[in-house]
Amino acid sequence: MFDPLPNISSKITDEIQDRHFVEHLICIPIHSILIKIFHHKVNLTKMKVSEKFKIWGLLICLISQLGYGYYLPGSYPHKYVVGDTLSVKVNSLTSIETEIPYSYYSLPFCKPQEGVKDSAENLGELLMGDRIENSPYKFKMHTNETEIFLCQTKPLSSDEFKLLTTRIDEMYQVNVILDNLPAIRYTKRDNFLVRWTGYPLGIKVQDTYYVFNHLKFTVLVHKYEETNVASVMGTGDAAEVIPTVDKPGSDIPGYIVVGFEVQPCSFQHNSESLKDLKMYGKYPSKIACETNTVTMGIKENQPVAFTYEVEFVESDIKWPSRWDAYLKMDGAKVHWFSILNSLMVITFLAGIVLVIFLRTVRRDLTHYEELDKEAQAQMNEELSGWKLVVSDVFRVPDCPALLCVMVGDGVQILGMAVVTILFAALGFMSPASRGTLLTGMLFFYMILGIAAGYVAVRMWRTLFSGDHKGWVSVCWKVSCFFPGVSFLILFVLNFLLWGSGSTGAIPFFLFVVLILLWFCISVPLTLVGGYFGAKAPHIEYPVRTNQIPREIPPQKYPSWLLVLGAGTLPFGTLFIELFFIMSSIWMGRVYYVFGFLFIVMILLVVVCAEVSLVLTYMHLCVEDYKWWWKSFFASGSVALYIFLYSINYLVFDLKSLSGPVSATLYLGYSLFMVLAIMLATGTVGFLSSFWFVHYLFSSVKLD
């Protein structure tokens, strides 16, 4: 069978775990229940204990079912009656060759009669470069239609012809959407089915360019099933509280869309037959949609005619499972292998940590405590290893403000990642709700500015023995360091996208919105957190620090070499999952195995803590008391290996990525990602080492 995109087909294999969306139950209007409760003046303080438990149990049950009531927040089954109009929308043209999206109507396509209108887009969609617009394709529910004529373009000008052929060379895909479902296309490759979203714009065969100008749509529908809310949620008293939902027209049989497939064809229309046809008229002869032949070649000064057909097929697929076609991909074994690999690394490091704690540290402390004072005084003169740096281990490190700022930003990024991935794993952020993942990340990042300010200021006060002078300056630096670097990177990359005329360019008004969110929400919340950090008691050191610093003996090997090498262990826990993430970002695949990702992230945090702890102990044993920054970069150096992996992915997996603009965009976004990972993992390592050092020397009674 002829494959329109043989080069890309050989690159992409099905490898993403099959995951069902959360089972759908019709949403309970909680506000109506609350109104009913308070309308009857229910006084919880006068109720019996059993009655209180019933009411609160019901409310907790309803709140917990929100994730099930809408399998996505704000998304619900849309019932269509036979004959209802279904409107198809179009998204930006995309390609894994350039990674630069363009507007659908930047090419000579048919436009809708009512004009081109942008759909409402959220913040995440705009940042991702999505531009969803209406299209001329219109269906009628459960009504099969064939040979529907859309339009015939004007003769292609030289510029239009050149642009169209360039987009075909760059393997651009057309993305169409029906009822929030992107069109999916199936091709056979080596006896297994390959799934694609969208369809290719055209193809080049023997120096001739062909465009896919006829589309065969298949819409999978399922009979709408009304749900009895009370019978699902409870019986007895609870059923009396829950209102029944009676919607007008609910007894009329209807259907919901559970699948949307497209099959592109290249068909040469008869120019004589097109003269008297108007939009949505019927083409006079049969159009044979054959995927293994192409006939509509494009030339300068010649028009292109577009037609389509649609077929409705009743399916057993239910609403909660309609995204399975996009997520049914083999890869569970690979994900589990990644987790098992991480567990092996953790077990190995945990063994080393146990040896340090149980055999070395405990043995030394127990032996020291058993001695009398004279023996301790004599032993103090013969101390070696980490005990010698007892008076210098808590000496203020170099660039203390920068360390506090980076730790504060790391806490903010790490908290954002944990909360976002947890919500995504619970089903609140999925591909069906475009942009929610990115929007959620921005929201959680801003809210967690409180934690960033609190940790940074409290760390600042701890370093300077409770002195809170300068905490406002620390807060400002925390709120501006990572966002400032991010804005700088995005601003430079945006110039490249603006110059290319891409929809991926962030509009100017969105930059203004982001700056307002930054300075009106994130910065004040960081200052609030810093205020509480300044009021909170600082962490007192268990030992005193001498005024004169101790000289560090010369080392056989550079300590920073060991620090940089420590990043290989955390990298080993995530590099397999990293491949799936990179593929979803740059190869246009759907990533939704957030459950696996959450487990891998927890394992990564554990490995970073263990690595940093072991490295800190090793440095203290060789009398190197400058452990602050080394503990941060011992685990933070994993970002270096991720960046090297990104370059490797660019060279060997994205071989087709063409042009310096595309490569610069890739490296710029990779640098942004690496900076965030360095701050998050470095913070984990530093905080775990700080706890370890504090615990270790709190057991030593030396003056």
Side-chain angles (χ1 to χ4, degrees):
M1 179 177 289
F2 178 76
D3 189 347
L5 292 178
N7 293 329
I8 304 181
S9 296
S10 60
K11 298 176 187 175
I12 300 183
T13 56
D14 298 337
E15 57 194 12
I16 301 180
Q17 162 71 12
D18 175 24
R19 187 187 190 279
H20 283 275
F21 273 71
V22 183
E23 290 295 329
H24 175 77
L25 295 174
I26 193 165
C27 182
I28 311 297
I30 296 180
H31 65 280
S32 63
I33 301 173
L34 295 175
I35 291 173
K36 189 169 184 178
I37 292 175
F38 292 104
H39 179 70
H40 292 286
K41 299 179 181 180
V42 178
N43 191 340
L44 294 179
T45 60
K46 297 181 180 180
M47 294 174 64
K48 295 179 181 179
V49 176
S50 60
E51 293 175 341
K52 290 182 182 180
F53 274 114
K54 285 183 180 180
I55 294 296
W56 286 112
L58 173 64
L59 294 179
I60 293 172
C61 179
L62 292 177
I63 294 172
S64 66
Q65 288 296 323
L66 273 177
Y68 299 89
Y70 295 110
Y71 86 101
L72 291 170
S75 179
Y76 54 91
H78 192 164
K79 174 185 173 182
Y80 296 96
V81 180
V82 175
D84 281 356
T85 301
L86 303 178
S87 298
V88 177
K89 297 182 180 181
V90 290
N91 203 346
S92 301
L93 305 173
T94 55
S95 170
I96 63 172
E97 287 276 325
T98 64
E99 302 296 347
I100 302 176
Y102 290 100
S103 171
Y104 174 82
Y105 292 106
S106 63
L107 295 179
F109 289 127
C110 301
K111 296 183 179 181
Q113 292 176 327
E114 65 273 17
V116 178
K117 299 177 182 178
D118 289 335
S119 297
E121 292 176 312
N122 57 44
L123 185 63
E125 286 179 292
L126 291 172
L127 291 174
M128 291 173 62
D130 287 344
R131 180 173 295 179
I132 301 177
E133 300 164 307
N134 59 334
S135 78
Y137 299 102
K138 294 185 183 300
F139 311 149
K140 292 182 179 179
M141 171 55 75
H142 225 299
T143 304
N144 297 340
E145 296 179 290
T146 58
E147 291 89 34
I148 303 300
F149 172 74
L150 272 184
C151 76
Q152 185 176 23
T153 65
K154 297 178 180 179
L156 298 177
S157 65
S158 177
D159 292 339
E160 290 175 333
F161 174 78
K162 184 177 180 181
L163 182 61
L164 193 56
T165 55
T166 301
R167 297 289 181 262
I168 293 175
D169 283 334
E170 293 171 340
M171 296 184 179
Y172 268 85
Q173 299 268 331
V174 181
N175 301 292
V176 291
I177 304 168
L178 176 66
D179 195 46
N180 207 31
L181 279 179
I184 193 169
R185 178 172 59 94
Y186 296 95
T187 58
K188 286 187 177 180
R189 167 71 58 177
D190 298 332
N191 297 325
F192 63 88
L193 213 56
V194 180
R195 302 170 184 85
W196 309 78
T197 53
Y199 65 91
L201 177 62
I203 190 170
K204 180 181 180 182
V205 180
Q206 296 180 352
D207 298 329
T208 303
Y209 290 91
Y210 296 89
V211 67
F212 293 109
N213 61 332
H214 179 80
L215 301 179
K216 181 180 179 180
F217 295 105
T218 302
V219 182
L220 305 180
V221 295
H222 185 81
K223 285 188 178 180
Y224 185 81
E225 299 172 357
E226 199 75 44
T227 306
N228 189 332
V229 178
S231 65
V232 172
M233 293 302 300
T235 58
D237 296 338
E240 293 178 4
V241 177
I242 300 175
T244 57
V245 182
D246 294 324
K247 297 182 180 179
S250 60
D251 56 337
I252 301 176
Y255 296 89
I256 55 176
V257 177
V258 294
F260 186 38
E261 301 173 7
V262 63
Q263 181 179 329
C265 306
S266 180
F267 182 79
Q268 180 67 56
H269 297 87
N270 188 343
S271 58
E272 294 296 327
S273 303
L274 300 173
K275 287 184 178 180
D276 299 327
L277 284 180
K278 295 182 179 180
M279 183 173 275
Y280 305 118
K282 190 173 180 63
Y283 188 73
S285 59
K286 182 175 178 57
I287 298 177
C289 186
E290 299 178 359
T291 57
N292 55 351
T293 59
V294 287
T295 57
M296 184 57 211
I298 55 174
K299 297 179 182 179
E300 285 189 43
N301 301 319
Q302 287 189 5
V304 180
F306 292 90
T307 55
Y308 72 95
E309 59 184 285
V310 58
E311 179 184 9
F312 287 84
V313 178
E314 291 197 25
S315 172
D316 294 332
I317 299 173
K318 295 186 178 181
W319 168 264
S321 305
R322 70 177 194 157
W323 276 84
D324 286 2
Y326 306 85
L327 307 174
K328 270 187 179 177
M329 301 187 181
D330 302 324
K333 293 182 180 179
V334 180
H335 286 282
W336 283 118
F337 174 77
S338 173
I339 293 174
L340 290 175
N341 177 64
S342 304
L343 287 173
M344 291 179 63
V345 175
I346 285 179
T347 304
F348 172 73
L349 290 173
I352 299 178
V353 173
L354 287 175
V355 169
I356 292 175
F357 270 109
L358 300 182
R359 297 193 59 184
T360 308
V361 178
R362 280 294 181 186
R363 182 190 60 195
D364 290 349
L365 292 177
T366 302
H367 175 66
Y368 183 80
E369 290 172 356
E370 290 176 352
L371 300 177
D372 54 22
K373 292 184 178 180
E374 294 183 1
Q376 288 182 14
Q378 182 180 358
M379 183 179 177
N380 289 345
E381 300 177 358
E382 302 175 355
L383 289 177
S384 63
W386 58 270
K387 307 177 198 67
L388 287 173
V389 296
V390 65
S391 299
D392 297 275
V393 69
F394 290 109
R395 189 174 300 280
V396 177
D398 298 331
C399 304
L402 180 60
L403 179 62
C404 294
V405 167
M406 295 178 73
V407 170
D409 280 331
V411 168
Q412 191 174 7
I413 295 170
L414 182 64
M416 173 203 67
V418 171
V419 176
T420 303
I421 296 175
L422 180 60
F423 270 80
L426 294 175
F428 287 94
M429 300 174 184
S430 85
S433 206
R434 292 175 186 82
T436 55
L437 188 65
L438 199 53
T439 304
M441 291 174 67
L442 287 172
F443 173 77
F444 294 132
Y445 179 81
M446 290 187 297
I447 296 300
L448 288 169
I450 296 178
Y454 178 84
V455 172
V457 171
R458 195 172 183 195
M459 194 71 236
W460 171 263
R461 295 187 65 228
T462 298
L463 290 176
F464 292 97
S465 302
D467 186 8
H468 63 272
K469 184 183 297 183
W471 71 268
V472 176
S473 175
V474 172
C475 282
W476 272 104
K477 292 174 182 177
V478 169
S479 60
C480 294
F481 177 69
F482 179 71
V485 175
S486 303
F487 263 89
L488 179 62
I489 295 175
L490 293 177
F491 194 72
V492 172
L493 298 180
N494 221 46
F495 268 112
L496 299 177
L497 292 170
W498 272 334
S500 303
S502 170
T503 59
I506 301 176
F508 177 76
F509 82 90
L510 187 56
F511 261 115
V512 176
V513 170
L514 292 174
I515 291 175
L516 289 176
L517 291 175
W518 180 8
F519 285 100
C520 296
I521 297 180
S522 182
V523 172
L525 288 178
T526 306
L527 291 171
V528 169
Y531 172 79
F532 286 110
K535 294 295 182 181
H538 69 282
I539 302 173
E540 295 186 3
Y541 295 146
V543 293
R544 291 185 297 183
T545 302
N546 289 339
Q547 294 183 352
I548 302 176
R550 179 185 178 87
E551 184 178 354
I552 300 175
Q555 309 296 324
K556 295 182 179 179
Y557 304 101
S559 58
W560 285 102
L561 187 63
L562 190 61
V563 168
L564 293 177
T568 56
L569 292 173
F571 178 73
T573 67
L574 59 78
F575 80 97
I576 297 177
E577 200 67 28
L578 186 63
F579 171 78
F580 290 92
I581 297 173
M582 299 285 282
S583 298
S584 67
I585 296 174
W586 300 107
M587 300 289 282
R589 310 179 195 178
V590 180
Y591 185 90
Y592 201 70
V593 284
F594 290 104
F596 285 108
L597 182 59
F598 186 75
I599 296 174
V600 171
M601 189 184 67
I602 297 300
L603 297 179
L604 175 65
V605 169
V606 175
V607 172
C608 287
E610 292 178 343
V611 164
S612 184
L613 189 149
V614 171
L615 262 292
T616 298
Y617 180 76
M618 291 176 63
H619 282 107
L620 293 178
C621 285
V622 294
E623 303 176 31
D624 185 356
Y625 55 84
K626 295 184 177 181
W627 58 272
W628 305 84
W629 282 107
K630 292 171 185 175
S631 66
F632 186 93
F633 287 111
S635 55
S637 61
V638 65
L640 173 64
Y641 297 96
I642 293 177
F643 188 71
L644 294 177
Y645 178 83
S646 301
I647 296 176
N648 174 81
Y649 190 85
L650 172 64
V651 174
F652 295 101
D653 292 275
L654 294 178
K655 297 178 183 178
S656 59
L657 197 65
S658 59
V661 174
S662 300
T664 304
L665 289 172
Y666 175 85
L667 293 175
Y669 289 128
S670 298
L671 185 63
F672 170 74
M673 175 185 69
V674 162
L675 175 63
I677 293 174
M678 183 200 70
L679 292 174
T681 55
T683 297
V684 172
F686 171 78
L687 293 179
S688 61
S689 293
F690 182 84
W691 169 83
F692 169 71
V693 173
H694 190 279
Y695 172 80
L696 178 62
F697 286 91
S698 63
S699 302
V700 178
K701 311 297 182 187
L702 292 177
D703 293 326

